Amino acid sequence: MDFRIYIALFPTVFMFHELEEILFFKNYRKLINNKVPKMFKGNYLKKYLNLSSTTFIFTIFEEYIILVLITWITLLKISYLEFYVSLMLAYNYHILGHIIQSIIVKSYVPGLIFGIASSIVSIYWISAMPVHNWSFVLYCSVIILVLIFVNIQICFKIGKKIINRKR
C-alpha cells in the first residue's frame, strides 16, 4: 500500500482518540480529583480539572485543523515527509503520556483505549514510511511535542477567555 494513504488516514486515527477524550472528559474530571496522588496536584492539574467542556473541545478542534492543514501540505509536497513522521511520532509520545497517567491514577484515563490502538496502527505506518534521516525525525518529534504542549496551553487560555466573555 502506498504510504501516502497512511498520511491521509492519520487525522482520522487522531480524531478517534480525541473523540474518546471528549466523550469521557466531563466524568473523568470528577473522578480524577480523588485518585491523583497529592504530589501530582499542581497548578496545571487544577487548570485542567477546571476546564469547561467547550474549552476542551475548542482546543481539540484547533489541533485537528492544524493537523489537517499539515497533512494536506505534506501530501502536496512529499519532501515534508520526515517532518510529518516526526509529528506522528510526537503523537505517540502523547499516547505514552496517557499510559503513564493511567498507571499513576490506577484507572482508565480518557483517550487511553483508542490511544493505544492508534499508536499500534501509526507505529506500523511510521515503519512503512521511506524515511532517510531518523535522527532528524527523532529530534524534530521532541520539538513538535513541546510545541503541541505550548499550543494546548494557549488554546486553554483563549478558550477560557472566550467562555468568560460570553458570561
Side-chain angles (χ1 to χ4, degrees), residues 9 13 16 39 53 63 75 112-113 135 145 150 155 159-160:
L9 287 175
V13 168
F16 275 113
M39 65 185 212
S53 294
E63 286 182 314
L75 288 170
L112 182 66
I113 295 168
S135 56
L145 183 65
V150 169
C155 284
K160 195 172 184 179

Side-chain angles (χ1 to χ4, degrees), residues 112-129:
L112 182 66
I113 295 168
F114 277 106
I116 291 171
S118 64
S119 273
I120 292 167
V121 169
S122 66
I123 288 169
Y124 171 76
W125 291 349
I126 289 169
S127 70
M129 302 285 183

Side-chain angles (χ1 to χ4, degrees), residues 152-164:
I152 289 171
Q153 299 309 306
I154 292 168
C155 284
F156 284 174
K157 287 181 182 181
I158 291 170
K160 195 172 184 179
K161 286 182 181 181
I162 290 169
I163 298 302
N164 289 338

Side-chain angles (χ1 to χ4, degrees), residues 36-72:
V36 174
K38 287 182 183 179
M39 65 185 212
F40 293 106
K41 288 189 178 181
N43 286 336
Y44 178 75
L45 183 62
K46 288 178 187 174
K47 287 178 189 177
Y48 176 75
L49 293 175
N50 291 326
L51 277 179
S52 71
S53 294
T54 305
T55 300
F56 189 67
I57 292 168
F58 165 79
T59 302
I60 290 171
F61 179 70
E62 187 265 354
E63 286 182 314
Y64 184 70
I65 295 299
I66 290 171
L67 177 59
V68 167
L69 288 172
I70 293 171
T71 301
W72 183 69

